[in-house]
Amino acid sequence: MSSDHHDFSPAERAGLYRAIFERRDVRSQFLPDPVPEDVLARLLQAAHHAPSVGFMQPWDFLLIESRDTRRAVKALFDGANDRAARHYAGERGERYRRLKLEGILDSPLNLCITCDRNRGGPHVLGRDSMFDTDLFSTCLAVQNLWLAARAEGLGVGWVSIVDPDALAGVLALPAGVYPLAYLCLGYVSEFLPEPELAAAGWRQRLPLTGLLRGDTWHTEAPEAVLQAVAGLSPQDASR
Ligand SMILES: Cc1cc2nc3c(=O)[nH]c(=O)nc-3n(C[C@H](O)[C@H](O)[C@H](O)COP(=O)(O)O)c2cc1C
């Protein structure tokens, strides 16, 4: 039952939080099964309903099925990943090279969500002080799609280890259109219970209480909030 605070019913809330907590970045578990058009349409519509600065809607969605195009993107990834690996020495370097960081050819569909930096003309409402709010808006479209995909049982993996100019070239993007998110999409054998990087021992989730502050960076967060957060489990959040 909803209360008069306009909140969702407990079951609806539980569904939303479940999508949030069980969403994963997927690289290793893709199945080849095609994504039905009606499901894909719902994901794209969810993305298109993201908030955007000045209602700019700077996104376009490239649906990339061609294996030739995907092979070209995979080659860009391989080069960029080799360069990235050089940042890590010794055991950390070996561990980095063992990580699987893309599912470009394993997933049945790739999707590039772009940001047209000129959409809406030179003065978009709300963008005067923070010019990059068009990029932020496009990230929110990605997140909408990612959560909707989880609810539909589809995995999404974000591949950012590619040179954006080279990627724009492969995808024939016009000048001023930025390839913000290159995504791999498909059904999966499983959703891992924790981020793949955490499972691989690369990096763990930070405790939320350590990230809360008060009125300024140097002020402590209210004690009651700290206690409430410390008492949460992800499941509790849906109650
Ligand atoms: C902007 C952005 C770029 C990312 N780029 C990559 C990438 O290139 N390769 C990869 O394997 N994962 C990439 N990820 C996924 C993150 O590694 C992942 O979100 C994080 O480890 C937490 O795991 P989770 O998404 O399963 O909760 C990216 C995520 C974001 C938000």
Side-chain angles (χ1 to χ4, degrees), residues 23-27 77 100-102 146 158-161 194-198 205:
R23 180 208 52 79
R24 284 277 74 82
D25 184 272
V26 174
R27 316 88 189 250
F77 168 86
K100 176 147 167 64
L101 298 174
E102 55 74 37
W146 213 337
W158 188 327
V159 185
S160 59
I161 306 169
E194 61 175 343
E196 209 159 312
L197 290 187
R205 190 178 306 285

Side-chain angles (χ1 to χ4, degrees), residues 71-86 96-97 161-163:
R71 266 193 283 270
V73 176
K74 174 71 164 59
L76 294 181
F77 168 86
D78 288 338
N81 201 38
D82 277 347
R83 289 192 292 282
R86 289 184 214 136
Y96 180 86
R97 283 171 214 278
I161 306 169
V162 276
D163 176 73

Side-chain angles (χ1 to χ4, degrees), residues 43-58:
L43 302 187
L44 295 168
Q45 191 182 36
H48 187 45
H49 279 246
S52 60
V53 66
F55 207 20
M56 182 182 178
Q57 307 161 72

Side-chain angles (χ1 to χ4, degrees), residues 212-224:
L212 302 178
R213 302 174 193 277
D215 292 320
T216 73
W217 184 266
H218 304 286
T219 312
E220 292 203 353
E223 185 55 34

Side-chain angles (χ1 to χ4, degrees), residues 49-106:
H49 279 246
S52 60
V53 66
F55 207 20
M56 182 182 178
Q57 307 161 72
W59 42 72
D60 284 83
F61 305 93
L62 280 77
L63 309 173
I64 303 159
E65 291 176 327
S66 150
R67 280 195 82 77
D68 283 348
T69 305
R70 292 199 274 148
R71 266 193 283 270
V73 176
K74 174 71 164 59
L76 294 181
F77 168 86
D78 288 338
N81 201 38
D82 277 347
R83 289 192 292 282
R86 289 184 214 136
H87 291 293
Y88 308 103
E91 193 275 331
R92 192 85 171 149
E94 282 163 31
R95 190 179 284 210
Y96 180 86
R97 283 171 214 278
R98 279 199 300 273
L99 294 171
K100 176 147 167 64
L101 298 174
E102 55 74 37
I104 297 167
L105 294 169
D106 313 322

Side-chain angles (χ1 to χ4, degrees), residues 144-224:
N144 268 14
L145 180 131
W146 213 337
L147 292 173
R150 179 61 192 89
E152 300 272 7
L154 281 155
V156 172
W158 188 327
V159 185
S160 59
I161 306 169
V162 276
D163 176 73
D165 292 332
L167 181 59
V170 168
L171 301 178
L173 302 186
V177 175
Y178 183 73
L180 185 121
Y182 193 87
L183 304 173
C184 307
L185 185 76
Y187 290 104
V188 299
S189 56
E190 62 170 332
F191 285 98
L192 297 181
E194 61 175 343
E196 209 159 312
L197 290 187
W202 184 262
R203 193 167 162 83
Q204 303 305 316
R205 190 178 306 285
L206 303 171
L208 174 56
T209 46
L211 305 174
L212 302 178
R213 302 174 193 277
D215 292 320
T216 73
W217 184 266
H218 304 286
T219 312
E220 292 203 353
E223 185 55 34

